[in-house]
Amino acid sequence: MILLTGVTGKTGGETARQLLAKGVKIRAIVRNAAKAEDLRAAGVELVVGDIGDAAVVRQALQGVEKAMLVLPNGKTQQANEQQFTDLAKAAGVKHLVKMSSMEAVPHAETPIPQAHWAVEEYIRASGIPWTMVKPNFFMQNLLASANSIKTQKKFSLPMGEGTTGMADIRDIAAVCVEVLTGQGHTGKSYEITGPEVLTFHDVAARFSEVLGEKIEYVPMAMDQFRSRMTGVLEPWHLDAVCGLFREIAEIGLDHTTDTFRQLMGREPRSVTQFVRDHIAAFRG
Ligand SMILES: NC(=O)c1ccc[n+]([C@@H]2O[C@H](COP(=O)([O-])OP(=O)(O)OC[C@H]3O[C@@H](n4cnc5c(N)ncnc54)[C@H](OP(=O)(O)O)[C@@H]3O)[C@@H](O)[C@H]2O)c1
């Protein structure tokens, strides 16, 4: 049995759907059973409750051989993931896969990658065989700008002239499926990127090519982003996200890896492919 978290979210949900398509038996911890009704109907065993609740996690871990931990960024992420690790160890889990991030490095300077790195270290010290999946910026984050692209032919983010090697969550999930069902992945950290390093101006150019009309990227001042998101994200999370985006603007995620190709035997999806596959969301 494989236990997943975050299946009503982006990467956890896509991983669950790809595992189901392969006929793999899975269980998931969900807060809201109604949101996971499609997955339950497709055969996912649901344990309903909050991941911070040790009794819920203990129940979900019964008879589990492998687990994948995906949680959103927030003040409680590190504590919840460390508690999950302790409970997984006690339950005899034989392989723990953590969704981390490429920015999670020993000397990370902002809270989100710092928390990921701290959890990675905690898992490595736990003695449970592990794999870290460390993606670049998700292409699917661009869907948050779909309305602006559709109606104003532009999008605005506080990433300045910074670069990413953004990756499609369908590819990130495919790596998670391979890690959970294949051999030889324990003790490995996999940095997953798309095929190219791009500024957001380059991303806008990819949109223009596919949509056949000029799409512009307009860098947003960080203060403007902060005031726009005040009240949308809680203060810890907003500060942390601003820190992360400032790093992209100032330093950038400036390299790609060939990890995806080595693991999956094909090229990762490009931004062009991503836009083509979501054209209905972006075309006016
Ligand atoms: N976005 C990026 O560009 C990027 C890049 C690299 C790494 N990452 C990492 O990816 C992770 C986020 O993944 P994602 O975007 O796939 O997540 P997501 O779409 O935000 O989904 C989060 C999932 O976790 C569930 N969840 C949240 N709190 C919970 C709780 N207390 N108990 C049980 N379930 C809970 C949510 O359930 P509900 O539906 O009930 O809310 C949802 O299913 C983060 O750790 C982030 O650092 C992100």
Side-chain angles (χ1 to χ4, degrees), residues 69 77-79 81-83 85 96-108 112-135 187-192:
L69 189 49
Q77 179 176 18
Q78 184 177 335
E81 293 195 0
Q82 290 180 346
Q83 172 174 271
T85 304
L96 178 56
V97 180
K98 169 172 161 56
M99 181 65 62
S100 180
S101 104
M102 212 165 138
E103 289 126 313
V105 292
H107 305 295
I112 291 171
Q114 280 171 344
H116 275 311
W117 182 256
V119 176
E120 285 192 23
E121 290 283 78
Y122 196 85
I123 292 172
R124 283 188 275 266
S126 73
I128 308 177
W130 51 267
T131 307
M132 309 301 168
V133 177
K134 296 167 71 89
K188 305 274 176 66
S189 290
Y190 292 139
E191 290 189 347
I192 307 301

mmCIF file of all heavy atoms in Angstrom, residues 69 77-79 81-83 85 96-108 112-135 187-192:
data_model
loop_
_atom_site.group_PDB
_atom_site.id
_atom_site.type_symbol
_atom_site.label_atom_id
_atom_site.label_comp_id
_atom_site.label_asym_id
_atom_site.label_seq_id
_atom_site.Cartn_x
_atom_site.Cartn_y
_atom_site.Cartn_z
ATOM 1 N N LEU A 69 5.064 12.447 0.784
ATOM 2 C CA LEU A 69 4.679 13.588 1.607
ATOM 3 C C LEU A 69 4.725 14.861 0.770
ATOM 4 O O LEU A 69 5.786 15.292 0.335
ATOM 5 C CB LEU A 69 5.689 13.658 2.766
ATOM 6 C CG LEU A 69 5.473 14.602 3.926
ATOM 7 C CD1 LEU A 69 4.078 14.497 4.504
ATOM 8 C CD2 LEU A 69 6.520 14.326 4.997
ATOM 9 N N GLN A 77 4.246 23.635 8.178
ATOM 10 C CA GLN A 77 4.720 22.590 7.254
ATOM 11 C C GLN A 77 5.847 21.752 7.858
ATOM 12 O O GLN A 77 5.797 20.517 7.858
ATOM 13 C CB GLN A 77 5.194 23.214 5.929
ATOM 14 C CG GLN A 77 5.712 22.163 4.934
ATOM 15 C CD GLN A 77 6.096 22.741 3.576
ATOM 16 O OE1 GLN A 77 6.298 23.936 3.441
ATOM 17 N NE2 GLN A 77 6.206 21.897 2.577
ATOM 18 N N GLN A 78 6.858 22.439 8.393
ATOM 19 C CA GLN A 78 8.020 21.698 8.909
ATOM 20 C C GLN A 78 7.617 20.764 10.053
ATOM 21 O O GLN A 78 7.967 19.576 10.055
ATOM 22 C CB GLN A 78 9.108 22.683 9.371
ATOM 23 C CG GLN A 78 10.369 21.970 9.821
ATOM 24 C CD GLN A 78 11.475 22.944 10.221
ATOM 25 O OE1 GLN A 78 11.501 24.086 9.763
ATOM 26 N NE2 GLN A 78 12.378 22.496 11.067
ATOM 27 N N ALA A 79 6.847 21.288 11.003
ATOM 28 C CA ALA A 79 6.453 20.469 12.161
ATOM 29 C C ALA A 79 5.586 19.290 11.718
ATOM 30 O O ALA A 79 5.776 18.151 12.170
ATOM 31 C CB ALA A 79 5.697 21.323 13.176
ATOM 32 N N GLU A 81 5.528 17.812 8.784
ATOM 33 C CA GLU A 81 6.310 16.841 8.017
ATOM 34 C C GLU A 81 7.250 16.057 8.935
ATOM 35 O O GLU A 81 7.483 14.865 8.744
ATOM 36 C CB GLU A 81 7.071 17.546 6.882
ATOM 37 C CG GLU A 81 6.115 18.115 5.823
ATOM 38 C CD GLU A 81 6.771 18.511 4.516
ATOM 39 O OE1 GLU A 81 7.997 18.358 4.358
ATOM 40 O OE2 GLU A 81 6.035 18.984 3.624
ATOM 41 N N GLN A 82 7.789 16.726 9.958
ATOM 42 C CA GLN A 82 8.671 15.998 10.882
ATOM 43 C C GLN A 82 7.867 14.997 11.714
ATOM 44 O O GLN A 82 8.300 13.869 11.937
ATOM 45 C CB GLN A 82 9.444 16.991 11.750
ATOM 46 C CG GLN A 82 10.475 17.748 10.894
ATOM 47 C CD GLN A 82 11.319 18.762 11.643
ATOM 48 O OE1 GLN A 82 11.013 19.138 12.765
ATOM 49 N NE2 GLN A 82 12.370 19.216 11.019
ATOM 50 N N GLN A 83 6.670 15.416 12.136
ATOM 51 C CA GLN A 83 5.824 14.470 12.892
ATOM 52 C C GLN A 83 5.448 13.279 12.005
ATOM 53 O O GLN A 83 5.464 12.127 12.449
ATOM 54 C CB GLN A 83 4.549 15.176 13.378
ATOM 55 C CG GLN A 83 3.554 14.190 14.007
ATOM 56 C CD GLN A 83 2.364 14.888 14.618
ATOM 57 O OE1 GLN A 83 2.389 15.261 15.785
ATOM 58 N NE2 GLN A 83 1.316 15.062 13.832
ATOM 59 N N THR A 85 7.161 12.043 9.631
ATOM 60 C CA THR A 85 8.363 11.200 9.518
ATOM 61 C C THR A 85 8.496 10.289 10.730
ATOM 62 O O THR A 85 8.743 9.078 10.598
ATOM 63 C CB THR A 85 9.618 12.103 9.375
ATOM 64 O OG1 THR A 85 9.432 12.965 8.261
ATOM 65 C CG2 THR A 85 10.886 11.279 9.200
ATOM 66 N N LEU A 96 10.209 6.636 2.130
ATOM 67 C CA LEU A 96 9.500 7.912 2.278
ATOM 68 C C LEU A 96 9.985 8.869 1.181
ATOM 69 O O LEU A 96 11.186 9.132 1.062
ATOM 70 C CB LEU A 96 9.770 8.502 3.672
ATOM 71 C CG LEU A 96 9.135 9.860 3.984
ATOM 72 C CD1 LEU A 96 7.623 9.843 3.797
ATOM 73 C CD2 LEU A 96 9.468 10.285 5.419
ATOM 74 N N VAL A 97 9.038 9.356 0.390
ATOM 75 C CA VAL A 97 9.346 10.281 -0.705
ATOM 76 C C VAL A 97 8.846 11.661 -0.294
ATOM 77 O O VAL A 97 7.685 11.812 0.079
ATOM 78 C CB VAL A 97 8.639 9.838 -2.008
ATOM 79 C CG1 VAL A 97 8.968 10.798 -3.151
ATOM 80 C CG2 VAL A 97 9.033 8.404 -2.356
ATOM 81 N N LYS A 98 9.728 12.635 -0.348
ATOM 82 C CA LYS A 98 9.315 13.994 0.053
ATOM 83 C C LYS A 98 9.334 14.948 -1.132
ATOM 84 O O LYS A 98 10.328 15.031 -1.850
ATOM 85 C CB LYS A 98 10.243 14.535 1.145
ATOM 86 C CG LYS A 98 9.986 16.028 1.364
ATOM 87 C CD LYS A 98 10.679 16.643 2.522
ATOM 88 C CE LYS A 98 10.754 18.163 2.411
ATOM 89 N NZ LYS A 98 9.470 18.863 2.248
ATOM 90 N N MET A 99 8.236 15.691 -1.288
ATOM 91 C CA MET A 99 8.206 16.786 -2.261
ATOM 92 C C MET A 99 8.900 17.974 -1.613
ATOM 93 O O MET A 99 8.394 18.569 -0.665
ATOM 94 C CB MET A 99 6.751 17.134 -2.595
ATOM 95 C CG MET A 99 6.609 18.244 -3.611
ATOM 96 S SD MET A 99 7.257 17.837 -5.247
ATOM 97 C CE MET A 99 6.189 16.460 -5.668
ATOM 98 N N SER A 100 10.101 18.267 -2.113
ATOM 99 C CA SER A 100 10.882 19.389 -1.581
ATOM 100 C C SER A 100 10.941 20.458 -2.668
ATOM 101 O O SER A 100 9.961 20.657 -3.386
ATOM 102 C CB SER A 100 12.270 18.868 -1.179
ATOM 103 O OG SER A 100 13.060 19.894 -0.667
ATOM 104 N N SER A 101 12.042 21.120 -2.792
ATOM 105 C CA SER A 101 12.161 22.092 -3.886
ATOM 106 C C SER A 101 13.635 22.255 -4.227
ATOM 107 O O SER A 101 14.522 21.990 -3.405
ATOM 108 C CB SER A 101 11.523 23.423 -3.489
ATOM 109 O OG SER A 101 12.491 24.368 -3.176
ATOM 110 N N MET A 102 13.887 22.699 -5.446
ATOM 111 C CA MET A 102 15.258 22.850 -5.924
ATOM 112 C C MET A 102 16.008 23.911 -5.121
ATOM 113 O O MET A 102 17.234 23.885 -5.037
ATOM 114 C CB MET A 102 15.190 23.251 -7.396
ATOM 115 C CG MET A 102 16.335 22.738 -8.206
ATOM 116 S SD MET A 102 15.954 22.879 -9.947
ATOM 117 C CE MET A 102 17.529 23.463 -10.529
ATOM 118 N N GLU A 103 15.245 24.839 -4.541
ATOM 119 C CA GLU A 103 15.890 25.910 -3.763
ATOM 120 C C GLU A 103 16.307 25.438 -2.370
ATOM 121 O O GLU A 103 16.962 26.178 -1.641
ATOM 122 C CB GLU A 103 14.932 27.098 -3.629
ATOM 123 C CG GLU A 103 14.727 27.852 -4.930
ATOM 124 C CD GLU A 103 13.266 27.994 -5.298
ATOM 125 O OE1 GLU A 103 12.545 26.969 -5.223
ATOM 126 O OE2 GLU A 103 12.844 29.110 -5.634
ATOM 127 N N ALA A 104 15.880 24.229 -1.983
ATOM 128 C CA ALA A 104 16.204 23.713 -0.644
ATOM 129 C C ALA A 104 17.650 23.228 -0.628
ATOM 130 O O ALA A 104 17.965 22.134 -1.102
ATOM 131 C CB ALA A 104 15.250 22.584 -0.271
ATOM 132 N N VAL A 105 18.532 24.086 -0.122
ATOM 133 C CA VAL A 105 19.971 23.804 -0.067
ATOM 134 C C VAL A 105 20.437 24.131 1.356
ATOM 135 O O VAL A 105 19.717 24.819 2.097
ATOM 136 C CB VAL A 105 20.747 24.643 -1.121
ATOM 137 C CG1 VAL A 105 20.408 24.180 -2.535
ATOM 138 C CG2 VAL A 105 20.462 26.137 -0.959
ATOM 139 N N PRO A 106 21.625 23.664 1.744
ATOM 140 C CA PRO A 106 22.036 23.842 3.150
ATOM 141 C C PRO A 106 22.011 25.294 3.623
ATOM 142 O O PRO A 106 21.699 25.551 4.772
ATOM 143 C CB PRO A 106 23.461 23.288 3.171
ATOM 144 C CG PRO A 106 23.536 22.364 2.015
ATOM 145 C CD PRO A 106 22.582 22.858 0.983
ATOM 146 N N HIS A 107 22.359 26.237 2.759
ATOM 147 C CA HIS A 107 22.417 27.621 3.237
ATOM 148 C C HIS A 107 21.296 28.473 2.663
ATOM 149 O O HIS A 107 21.474 29.667 2.418
ATOM 150 C CB HIS A 107 23.795 28.223 2.934
ATOM 151 C CG HIS A 107 24.900 27.395 3.503
ATOM 152 N ND1 HIS A 107 25.062 27.227 4.867
ATOM 153 C CD2 HIS A 107 25.847 26.627 2.913
ATOM 154 C CE1 HIS A 107 26.079 26.410 5.074
ATOM 155 N NE2 HIS A 107 26.572 26.031 3.914
ATOM 156 N N ALA A 108 20.131 27.849 2.488
ATOM 157 C CA ALA A 108 18.969 28.582 1.967
ATOM 158 C C ALA A 108 18.707 29.785 2.861
ATOM 159 O O ALA A 108 18.848 29.706 4.091
ATOM 160 C CB ALA A 108 17.757 27.658 1.932
ATOM 161 N N ILE A 112 10.854 29.211 3.170
ATOM 162 C CA ILE A 112 10.286 28.001 2.532
ATOM 163 C C ILE A 112 11.380 26.976 2.217
ATOM 164 O O ILE A 112 11.290 25.828 2.674
ATOM 165 C CB ILE A 112 9.430 28.386 1.289
ATOM 166 C CG1 ILE A 112 8.159 29.114 1.780
ATOM 167 C CG2 ILE A 112 9.086 27.158 0.457
ATOM 168 C CD1 ILE A 112 7.324 29.753 0.673
ATOM 169 N N PRO A 113 12.435 27.366 1.488
ATOM 170 C CA PRO A 113 13.494 26.374 1.272
ATOM 171 C C PRO A 113 14.215 25.965 2.558
ATOM 172 O O PRO A 113 14.667 24.822 2.674
ATOM 173 C CB PRO A 113 14.452 27.051 0.293
ATOM 174 C CG PRO A 113 13.996 28.438 0.106
ATOM 175 C CD PRO A 113 12.620 28.577 0.646
ATOM 176 N N GLN A 114 14.288 26.879 3.526
ATOM 177 C CA GLN A 114 14.902 26.496 4.815
ATOM 178 C C GLN A 114 14.092 25.370 5.467
ATOM 179 O O GLN A 114 14.656 24.404 5.987
ATOM 180 C CB GLN A 114 14.946 27.694 5.766
ATOM 181 C CG GLN A 114 16.088 28.648 5.474
ATOM 182 C CD GLN A 114 15.998 29.951 6.269
ATOM 183 O OE1 GLN A 114 14.949 30.292 6.816
ATOM 184 N NE2 GLN A 114 17.101 30.684 6.313
ATOM 185 N N ALA A 115 12.757 25.498 5.434
ATOM 186 C CA ALA A 115 11.911 24.457 6.044
ATOM 187 C C ALA A 115 12.068 23.139 5.286
ATOM 188 O O ALA A 115 12.187 22.072 5.898
ATOM 189 C CB ALA A 115 10.451 24.909 6.036
ATOM 190 N N HIS A 116 12.094 23.225 3.946
ATOM 191 C CA HIS A 116 12.279 21.988 3.163
ATOM 192 C C HIS A 116 13.608 21.322 3.518
ATOM 193 O O HIS A 116 13.682 20.112 3.692
ATOM 194 C CB HIS A 116 12.264 22.298 1.660
ATOM 195 C CG HIS A 116 10.896 22.360 1.055
ATOM 196 N ND1 HIS A 116 9.942 21.387 1.244
ATOM 197 C CD2 HIS A 116 10.311 23.277 0.235
ATOM 198 C CE1 HIS A 116 8.831 21.694 0.569
ATOM 199 N NE2 HIS A 116 9.034 22.843 -0.036
ATOM 200 N N TRP A 117 14.667 22.145 3.603
ATOM 201 C CA TRP A 117 15.979 21.557 3.880
ATOM 202 C C TRP A 117 15.996 20.920 5.277
ATOM 203 O O TRP A 117 16.527 19.821 5.470
ATOM 204 C CB TRP A 117 17.088 22.606 3.756
ATOM 205 C CG TRP A 117 18.441 21.986 3.987
ATOM 206 C CD1 TRP A 117 19.215 22.085 5.106
ATOM 207 C CD2 TRP A 117 19.148 21.112 3.088
ATOM 208 N NE1 TRP A 117 20.368 21.335 4.970
ATOM 209 C CE2 TRP A 117 20.346 20.725 3.738
ATOM 210 C CE3 TRP A 117 18.881 20.615 1.821
ATOM 211 C CZ2 TRP A 117 21.283 19.868 3.146
ATOM 212 C CZ3 TRP A 117 19.811 19.761 1.223
ATOM 213 C CH2 TRP A 117 20.995 19.398 1.887
ATOM 214 N N ALA A 118 15.371 21.604 6.234
ATOM 215 C CA ALA A 118 15.336 21.068 7.602
ATOM 216 C C ALA A 118 14.599 19.720 7.624
ATOM 217 O O ALA A 118 15.044 18.776 8.283
ATOM 218 C CB ALA A 118 14.658 22.069 8.545
ATOM 219 N N VAL A 119 13.516 19.623 6.872
ATOM 220 C CA VAL A 119 12.775 18.348 6.837
ATOM 221 C C VAL A 119 13.603 17.285 6.102
ATOM 222 O O VAL A 119 13.668 16.130 6.551
ATOM 223 C CB VAL A 119 11.384 18.513 6.177
ATOM 224 C CG1 VAL A 119 10.681 17.163 6.064
ATOM 225 C CG2 VAL A 119 10.516 19.492 6.964
ATOM 226 N N GLU A 120 14.257 17.684 5.015
ATOM 227 C CA GLU A 120 15.112 16.710 4.310
ATOM 228 C C GLU A 120 16.139 16.116 5.282
ATOM 229 O O GLU A 120 16.341 14.904 5.336
ATOM 230 C CB GLU A 120 15.856 17.381 3.145
ATOM 231 C CG GLU A 120 14.999 17.683 1.934
ATOM 232 C CD GLU A 120 15.857 18.070 0.721
ATOM 233 O OE1 GLU A 120 17.051 17.701 0.682
ATOM 234 O OE2 GLU A 120 15.330 18.742 -0.181
ATOM 235 N N GLU A 121 16.789 16.988 6.040
ATOM 236 C CA GLU A 121 17.811 16.530 6.988
ATOM 237 C C GLU A 121 17.196 15.621 8.053
ATOM 238 O O GLU A 121 17.792 14.618 8.454
ATOM 239 C CB GLU A 121 18.478 17.736 7.654
ATOM 240 C CG GLU A 121 19.367 18.536 6.728
ATOM 241 C CD GLU A 121 20.715 17.852 6.480
ATOM 242 O OE1 GLU A 121 20.745 16.907 5.666
ATOM 243 O OE2 GLU A 121 21.705 18.262 7.093
ATOM 244 N N TYR A 122 16.005 15.980 8.485
ATOM 245 C CA TYR A 122 15.300 15.191 9.506
ATOM 246 C C TYR A 122 14.999 13.786 8.964
ATOM 247 O O TYR A 122 15.198 12.793 9.650
ATOM 248 C CB TYR A 122 14.007 15.927 9.867
ATOM 249 C CG TYR A 122 13.363 15.465 11.145
ATOM 250 C CD1 TYR A 122 13.765 15.977 12.375
ATOM 251 C CD2 TYR A 122 12.339 14.521 11.124
ATOM 252 C CE1 TYR A 122 13.169 15.554 13.554
ATOM 253 C CE2 TYR A 122 11.736 14.098 12.299
ATOM 254 C CZ TYR A 122 12.154 14.621 13.507
ATOM 255 O OH TYR A 122 11.565 14.202 14.673
ATOM 256 N N ILE A 123 14.528 13.753 7.720
ATOM 257 C CA ILE A 123 14.207 12.451 7.109
ATOM 258 C C ILE A 123 15.487 11.632 6.930
ATOM 259 O O ILE A 123 15.530 10.446 7.248
ATOM 260 C CB ILE A 123 13.474 12.645 5.754
ATOM 261 C CG1 ILE A 123 12.081 13.233 6.004
ATOM 262 C CG2 ILE A 123 13.385 11.336 4.984
ATOM 263 C CD1 ILE A 123 11.332 13.647 4.733
ATOM 264 N N ARG A 124 16.558 12.290 6.454
ATOM 265 C CA ARG A 124 17.817 11.558 6.242
ATOM 266 C C ARG A 124 18.327 10.976 7.561
ATOM 267 O O ARG A 124 18.869 9.881 7.594
ATOM 268 C CB ARG A 124 18.880 12.466 5.607
ATOM 269 C CG ARG A 124 18.648 12.677 4.106
ATOM 270 C CD ARG A 124 19.814 13.420 3.456
ATOM 271 N NE ARG A 124 19.688 14.849 3.579
ATOM 272 C CZ ARG A 124 19.130 15.647 2.657
ATOM 273 N NH1 ARG A 124 18.676 15.136 1.527
ATOM 274 N NH2 ARG A 124 19.037 16.936 2.844
ATOM 275 N N ALA A 125 18.107 11.712 8.660
ATOM 276 C CA ALA A 125 18.589 11.234 9.964
ATOM 277 C C ALA A 125 17.661 10.173 10.567
ATOM 278 O O ALA A 125 18.038 9.500 11.525
ATOM 279 C CB ALA A 125 18.710 12.421 10.930
ATOM 280 N N SER A 126 16.455 10.030 9.992
ATOM 281 C CA SER A 126 15.460 9.135 10.616
ATOM 282 C C SER A 126 15.781 7.666 10.422
ATOM 283 O O SER A 126 15.309 6.817 11.171
ATOM 284 C CB SER A 126 14.070 9.409 10.012
ATOM 285 O OG SER A 126 14.001 8.882 8.680
ATOM 286 N N GLY A 127 16.568 7.374 9.377
ATOM 287 C CA GLY A 127 16.862 5.968 9.086
ATOM 288 C C GLY A 127 15.871 5.356 8.100
ATOM 289 O O GLY A 127 16.084 4.237 7.633
ATOM 290 N N ILE A 128 14.791 6.046 7.764
ATOM 291 C CA ILE A 128 13.866 5.511 6.744
ATOM 292 C C ILE A 128 14.509 5.739 5.370
ATOM 293 O O ILE A 128 14.959 6.853 5.092
ATOM 294 C CB ILE A 128 12.505 6.255 6.738
ATOM 295 C CG1 ILE A 128 11.875 6.306 8.120
ATOM 296 C CG2 ILE A 128 11.540 5.615 5.736
ATOM 297 C CD1 ILE A 128 10.564 7.098 8.155
ATOM 298 N N PRO A 129 14.540 4.713 4.522
ATOM 299 C CA PRO A 129 15.012 4.952 3.154
ATOM 300 C C PRO A 129 14.172 6.059 2.509
ATOM 301 O O PRO A 129 12.948 6.072 2.652
ATOM 302 C CB PRO A 129 14.797 3.596 2.466
ATOM 303 C CG PRO A 129 14.857 2.609 3.613
ATOM 304 C CD PRO A 129 14.201 3.310 4.771
ATOM 305 N N TRP A 130 14.843 6.994 1.820
ATOM 306 C CA TRP A 130 14.144 8.201 1.367
ATOM 307 C C TRP A 130 14.470 8.521 -0.084
ATOM 308 O O TRP A 130 15.491 8.064 -0.624
ATOM 309 C CB TRP A 130 14.540 9.409 2.231
ATOM 310 C CG TRP A 130 16.037 9.580 2.360
ATOM 311 C CD1 TRP A 130 16.819 9.082 3.362
ATOM 312 C CD2 TRP A 130 16.938 10.238 1.436
ATOM 313 N NE1 TRP A 130 18.146 9.394 3.126
ATOM 314 C CE2 TRP A 130 18.247 10.107 1.958
ATOM 315 C CE3 TRP A 130 16.766 10.923 0.242
ATOM 316 C CZ2 TRP A 130 19.373 10.640 1.309
ATOM 317 C CZ3 TRP A 130 17.888 11.458 -0.413
ATOM 318 C CH2 TRP A 130 19.174 11.308 0.132
ATOM 319 N N THR A 131 13.622 9.346 -0.682
ATOM 320 C CA THR A 131 13.938 10.010 -1.952
ATOM 321 C C THR A 131 13.398 11.426 -1.859
ATOM 322 O O THR A 131 12.266 11.624 -1.406
ATOM 323 C CB THR A 131 13.266 9.303 -3.155
ATOM 324 O OG1 THR A 131 13.605 7.912 -3.120
ATOM 325 C CG2 THR A 131 13.727 9.909 -4.485
ATOM 326 N N MET A 132 14.191 12.406 -2.275
ATOM 327 C CA MET A 132 13.736 13.797 -2.325
ATOM 328 C C MET A 132 13.462 14.159 -3.781
ATOM 329 O O MET A 132 14.335 13.983 -4.641
ATOM 330 C CB MET A 132 14.803 14.757 -1.778
ATOM 331 C CG MET A 132 15.370 14.396 -0.410
ATOM 332 S SD MET A 132 14.106 14.312 0.880
ATOM 333 C CE MET A 132 15.059 13.531 2.206
ATOM 334 N N VAL A 133 12.248 14.653 -4.026
ATOM 335 C CA VAL A 133 11.907 15.170 -5.356
ATOM 336 C C VAL A 133 11.945 16.683 -5.234
ATOM 337 O O VAL A 133 11.207 17.273 -4.434
ATOM 338 C CB VAL A 133 10.521 14.660 -5.813
ATOM 339 C CG1 VAL A 133 10.153 15.258 -7.171
ATOM 340 C CG2 VAL A 133 10.522 13.130 -5.883
ATOM 341 N N LYS A 134 12.855 17.315 -6.007
ATOM 342 C CA LYS A 134 13.146 18.736 -5.808
ATOM 343 C C LYS A 134 12.886 19.497 -7.112
ATOM 344 O O LYS A 134 13.810 19.709 -7.904
ATOM 345 C CB LYS A 134 14.605 18.889 -5.351
ATOM 346 C CG LYS A 134 14.848 18.226 -3.979
ATOM 347 C CD LYS A 134 16.339 18.090 -3.656
ATOM 348 C CE LYS A 134 17.016 19.388 -3.344
ATOM 349 N NZ LYS A 134 16.964 19.769 -1.921
ATOM 350 N N PRO A 135 11.614 19.892 -7.300
ATOM 351 C CA PRO A 135 11.298 20.549 -8.568
ATOM 352 C C PRO A 135 11.668 22.025 -8.603
ATOM 353 O O PRO A 135 11.752 22.691 -7.569
ATOM 354 C CB PRO A 135 9.777 20.405 -8.701
ATOM 355 C CG PRO A 135 9.303 19.718 -7.486
ATOM 356 C CD PRO A 135 10.416 19.708 -6.478
ATOM 357 N N GLY A 187 17.743 7.052 -1.318
ATOM 358 C CA GLY A 187 18.990 7.780 -1.080
ATOM 359 C C GLY A 187 19.313 8.768 -2.188
ATOM 360 O O GLY A 187 20.437 9.274 -2.264
ATOM 361 N N LYS A 188 18.333 9.069 -3.048
ATOM 362 C CA LYS A 188 18.591 9.971 -4.180
ATOM 363 C C LYS A 188 17.792 11.272 -4.026
ATOM 364 O O LYS A 188 16.660 11.260 -3.544
ATOM 365 C CB LYS A 188 18.166 9.320 -5.501
ATOM 366 C CG LYS A 188 18.795 7.968 -5.782
ATOM 367 C CD LYS A 188 20.147 8.126 -6.462
ATOM 368 C CE LYS A 188 20.851 6.808 -6.681
ATOM 369 N NZ LYS A 188 20.192 5.922 -7.622
ATOM 370 N N SER A 189 18.390 12.365 -4.465
ATOM 371 C CA SER A 189 17.698 13.655 -4.543
ATOM 372 C C SER A 189 17.587 14.006 -6.019
ATOM 373 O O SER A 189 18.614 14.092 -6.708
ATOM 374 C CB SER A 189 18.504 14.749 -3.832
ATOM 375 O OG SER A 189 18.474 14.520 -2.448
ATOM 376 N N TYR A 190 16.370 14.172 -6.493
ATOM 377 C CA TYR A 190 16.147 14.415 -7.915
ATOM 378 C C TYR A 190 15.690 15.848 -8.150
ATOM 379 O O TYR A 190 14.574 16.219 -7.791
ATOM 380 C CB TYR A 190 15.087 13.448 -8.452
ATOM 381 C CG TYR A 190 15.530 12.004 -8.497
ATOM 382 C CD1 TYR A 190 14.663 10.973 -8.122
ATOM 383 C CD2 TYR A 190 16.810 11.654 -8.930
ATOM 384 C CE1 TYR A 190 15.050 9.635 -8.187
ATOM 385 C CE2 TYR A 190 17.208 10.319 -8.992
ATOM 386 C CZ TYR A 190 16.320 9.314 -8.619
ATOM 387 O OH TYR A 190 16.714 7.999 -8.683
ATOM 388 N N GLU A 191 16.551 16.641 -8.770
ATOM 389 C CA GLU A 191 16.176 18.013 -9.149
ATOM 390 C C GLU A 191 15.476 17.950 -10.503
ATOM 391 O O GLU A 191 16.089 17.543 -11.498
ATOM 392 C CB GLU A 191 17.423 18.895 -9.261
ATOM 393 C CG GLU A 191 18.073 19.177 -7.929
ATOM 394 C CD GLU A 191 19.181 20.232 -8.023
ATOM 395 O OE1 GLU A 191 19.606 20.570 -9.152
ATOM 396 O OE2 GLU A 191 19.612 20.708 -6.967
ATOM 397 N N ILE A 192 14.221 18.349 -10.529
ATOM 398 C CA ILE A 192 13.423 18.219 -11.755
ATOM 399 C C ILE A 192 13.163 19.602 -12.358
ATOM 400 O O ILE A 192 12.573 20.468 -11.705
ATOM 401 C CB ILE A 192 12.070 17.519 -11.472
ATOM 402 C CG1 ILE A 192 12.295 16.186 -10.751
ATOM 403 C CG2 ILE A 192 11.282 17.328 -12.762
ATOM 404 C CD1 ILE A 192 13.163 15.188 -11.496
#
